[in-house]
Structures are given as structure tokens and as C-alpha cells.
Amino acid sequence: MKTERTEAIVLHTLAVRERDKMVVFLTPEHGKRKGWAYGARAIRSRFGAALEPLAKVRIGYTERESEEVVRIESVDLIRSLFPAQQNLLSSVAATYIAELVDTFAHPNDPAELIYRLLDRTTEALLDGATPFAVVAYAEIWMLKLAGIFPSLRTCIGCDGPMERPLRFDAKLEGFACANCASGSAFVIPNDVARALDAILRAPVHEFTASKEVLFEIRSLAGGLRRNFLGHELKSFEVLAGVSE
């Protein structure tokens, strides 16, 4: 039996039986893991509020070589999402980002960059950043880290340098130059292209954009994501409903 102790962020939990929880959490070194937290639902649980979604914790667990689900032994809270949860839009945005990461992170695969993305975006929501700016940032970077978001610098058709305005070609699943783009390709407005550049260059707390630009970025990200997954995230409609 091996014992691990690492920093982690809780993605979601599932109530099991009368007293226990199944916890899905993300670690930098070991990627996404699942663990039993026995007694976590008890009134006087030794885990307290440390196993709430998007809590940043120091977690200790044991695992057997033949089992995928670990046993959680200890959890120390580093940072709670509670302050951001007092704002409905920030709370739903956080839930959406957690599902986004849960969908793309791989079990038992080192995920330092994904972990850093989740950590920084959660921190930005806690600091009062505009929720949809944080969501758009997370969507683009998650697609980038998953190898799905196409290059903004080179044409997907001829590999030549891209010029503005950008053209996105759904048939080629990438940005194409004027010579390679098909008739169905659409032009990306320059302010949206600049915002995409900013997302890929700047930390999340420095990223801002108008509602119109954020809508265009999220539409582009949503199309790429749905095309890859074949479905939409469960919390997508919830987030859309809160924003109306």
C-alpha cells in the first residue's frame, strides 16, 4: 500500500451511502484521482468543509496497486471557494470550469499546467474578476492544453504565416489563410483576434474584454469543444441561463 500527500483541488463529490463521499480531485503530479472519503457526510466529520467543490487542499491518501480508487486519509483546507459562491454567476462559472477541467483532465496523468489553470481561474473568481472573462479564458486555455485549439500563427492548410483578419474554417478545423480557406470559412473580427492573443499571452487576472468579444470567443470555443466531444457540458445551459 502506497501513501501520497499532495496539493489538490476538489472537482466534485458524490454522496455514497449514509456517511461517505466519493471525491474527484485534481493534483499537479498525479492528475485526476478518485477517492473514498469515509465518514465525510457525518455531522462531525473529520474532513469538515474541506471536501467542497473547488476547495484547494492538502490531501493525504493511500492506494493499492490494483485499485483505481484511493482511500482519503486526511484533508487540510488551503483555500475555500465560499466567498465567490455568494455571487450566483461566479458560483455557476466556477462549477462550469470545474466540469470543463474534469472532462479534459486524464486520470493518473501529470497535469501541472491544467492544475495551474484551474488554480488561477478559481483565484480570479475569488478576487472578483468578471466571471465570463474568466470562463472564456479557461475555455480557450483548456482547449489549448488538450491540443484542440488551432494555431493563430500558421495556416492549417499550407502552414504559412497567418495575416489579419483571421479566418476560421470549420471544415479544416482551424484558422486558414485567404488562399486555403473554403467558402464556408468566416472572418474573425480583429478585436476578437486581439483578445485571443491576450488570453494566450497574459495571466487571467489581466484579461478583460467587452461582452460582445467574450460572446464571440465563447462561441468559437464552444464549437471546437462540441465537435471534439460530440456533446455539450452539462453545466453549459445552467451558466447560459444565469447570464440571461
Side-chain angles (χ1 to χ4, degrees):
M1 184 178 293
K2 185 169 66 172
T3 301
E4 295 283 354
R5 186 165 176 80
T6 181
E7 191 175 281
I9 297 176
V10 177
L11 294 176
H12 67 87
T13 65
L14 177 67
V16 182
R17 297 185 287 269
E18 293 183 2
R19 295 168 50 85
D20 309 326
K21 282 184 178 181
M22 172 70 74
V23 183
V24 179
F25 57 95
L26 186 73
T27 74
E29 303 93 347
H30 310 292
K32 186 170 67 173
R33 304 302 309 264
K34 290 182 180 180
W36 291 109
Y38 294 109
R41 299 178 64 204
I43 295 176
R44 296 183 179 180
S45 168
R46 58 196 171 97
F47 299 115
L51 290 179
E52 295 303 315
L54 286 179
K56 184 178 181 180
V57 299
R58 189 77 182 169
I59 192 167
Y61 61 86
T62 56
E63 60 178 323
R64 298 181 186 275
E65 190 172 338
S66 59
E67 297 180 1
E68 292 186 3
V69 182
V70 303
R71 178 185 176 120
I72 298 172
E73 302 290 353
S74 64
V75 182
D76 298 314
L77 183 64
I78 298 174
R79 183 189 66 210
S80 171
L81 186 66
F82 181 75
Q85 289 174 324
Q86 306 314 296
N87 177 284
L88 179 60
L89 184 53
S90 294
S91 180
V92 176
T95 299
Y96 176 80
I97 293 171
E99 185 187 357
L100 180 70
V101 170
D102 189 17
T103 300
F104 285 97
H106 297 292
N108 307 321
D109 189 20
E112 183 178 352
L113 293 179
I114 297 177
Y115 182 86
R116 192 185 306 168
L117 174 66
L118 182 59
D119 188 30
R120 297 292 187 270
T121 50
T122 303
E123 201 168 70
L125 290 172
L126 284 165
D127 289 342
T130 304
F132 278 112
V134 178
V135 166
Y137 188 98
E139 288 177 317
I140 294 299
W141 261 110
M142 191 67 258
L143 292 172
K144 178 76 172 177
L145 295 176
I148 300 167
F149 192 75
S151 171
L152 297 173
R153 304 299 177 197
T154 57
C155 171
I156 195 168
C158 66
D159 207 33
M162 287 293 299
E163 296 180 354
R164 301 296 169 87
L166 290 175
R167 293 172 175 83
F168 182 79
D169 194 323
K171 291 182 179 178
L172 298 176
E173 297 183 1
F175 298 99
C177 67
N179 291 329
C180 295
S182 69
S184 62
F186 61 89
V187 172
I188 303 293
N190 285 340
D191 55 351
V192 176
R194 285 192 294 270
L196 289 170
D197 282 333
I199 287 174
L200 297 176
R201 287 200 308 257
V204 61
H205 66 270
E206 294 181 5
F207 174 65
T208 59
S210 68
K211 289 183 179 179
E212 293 76 16
V213 168
L214 291 176
F215 176 82
E216 294 295 335
I217 290 173
R218 296 203 60 224
S219 295
L220 175 63
L224 288 166
R225 184 178 61 250
R226 287 187 293 272
N227 185 61
F228 178 79
L229 295 175
H231 63 84
E232 187 52 275
L233 302 180
K234 294 178 181 178
S235 54
F236 179 84
E237 292 297 337
V238 179
L239 181 60
V242 171
S243 66
E244 293 177 352

